[in-house]
Amino acid sequence: GQTVTVLGNTGNLVKSGCTFAGWNTQANGTGTTYTQGQTFTMGTANVTLYARWTANPAYTVTYNGNGNTGGNVPVDATNYEQGQAVTVLGNTGNLVKSGYTFSGWNTKSNGSGTTYSQAQTFTMGSANVTLYAKWTANPTYTVIYNGNGNTGGSIPTDSTNYEQGQTVAVLGNAGNLVKTGYSFAGWN
């Protein structure tokens, strides 16, 4: 018949991945739940109150190829709790995008967010995170033809932008270049 005031988590109990959520009269949580300061009337038997635990929310990190033309995005199967450190994965799936070089990950698809490189860490917030592949356009070069003192005809134009290592097909004398006293013999 005596009134019992329920204690709080005065012993600082912890359970990995969980938050203390009070006490319950059943170990499986199906009994009566009590929080600190609540009261109940003592019956005719001893009472055991079991710690009640709620799972902390878990968040994921998803990698997005962001327009990749080949390869696979890495997969991070870890569920992270808020405040937990996340180590950023590298380009383990050999992502490629034609005309571009992989240059890390970004929190925004347009590259305006926070950029991370492999093995950098960040602290998990309170929402799932998507990291987008960041692509840097490869430099391109042009081929310009010069008549080198020609006296007639027109210089061919190659409007292609070539990446380093790309094969260039040299144009012929399609514009019938001429130079008085000389024969066209190719390009140098």
Side-chain angles (χ1 to χ4, degrees):
Q2 193 172 355
T3 299
V4 177
T5 301
V6 176
L7 302 177
N9 185 4
T10 58
N12 297 317
L13 293 174
V14 293
K15 182 176 180 181
S16 294
C18 296
T19 299
F20 178 80
W23 305 98
N24 195 284
T25 57
Q26 298 292 319
N28 66 5
T30 60
T32 303
T33 297
Y34 295 102
T35 58
Q36 178 179 346
Q38 282 188 303
T39 60
F40 64 90
T41 302
M42 180 57 78
T44 59
N46 292 332
V47 174
T48 300
L49 296 178
Y50 298 89
R52 188 167 169 258
W53 301 103
T54 57
N56 292 340
Y59 305 103
T60 59
V61 176
T62 303
Y63 291 84
N64 182 303
N66 201 19
N68 65 299
T69 55
N72 298 300
V73 293
V75 175
D76 186 344
T78 304
N79 290 314
Y80 298 95
E81 291 182 32
Q82 183 175 357
Q84 190 174 354
V86 177
T87 300
V88 176
L89 301 176
N91 186 5
T92 57
N94 299 313
L95 288 176
V96 293
K97 182 176 180 180
S98 297
Y100 293 84
T101 299
F102 177 82
S103 57
W105 303 100
N106 196 283
T107 56
K108 303 270 185 190
S109 62
N110 66 4
S112 66
T114 304
T115 297
Y116 297 104
S117 58
Q118 178 179 351
Q120 271 192 292
T121 60
F122 66 90
T123 302
M124 179 57 76
S126 59
N128 294 330
V129 173
T130 299
L131 294 177
Y132 298 89
K134 186 173 178 187
W135 300 104
T136 302
N138 294 338
T140 58
Y141 307 95
T142 58
V143 176
I144 300 171
Y145 292 85
N146 184 304
N148 198 20
N150 65 301
T151 56
S154 61
I155 302 166
T157 302
D158 185 346
S159 59
T160 304
N161 291 317
Y162 297 97
E163 291 183 33
Q164 183 177 352
Q166 190 173 352
T167 302
V168 177
V170 177
L171 300 177
N173 188 7
N176 297 315
L177 285 177
V178 292
K179 183 175 181 179
T180 305
Y182 292 87
S183 296
F184 178 79
W187 304 101
N188 193 320

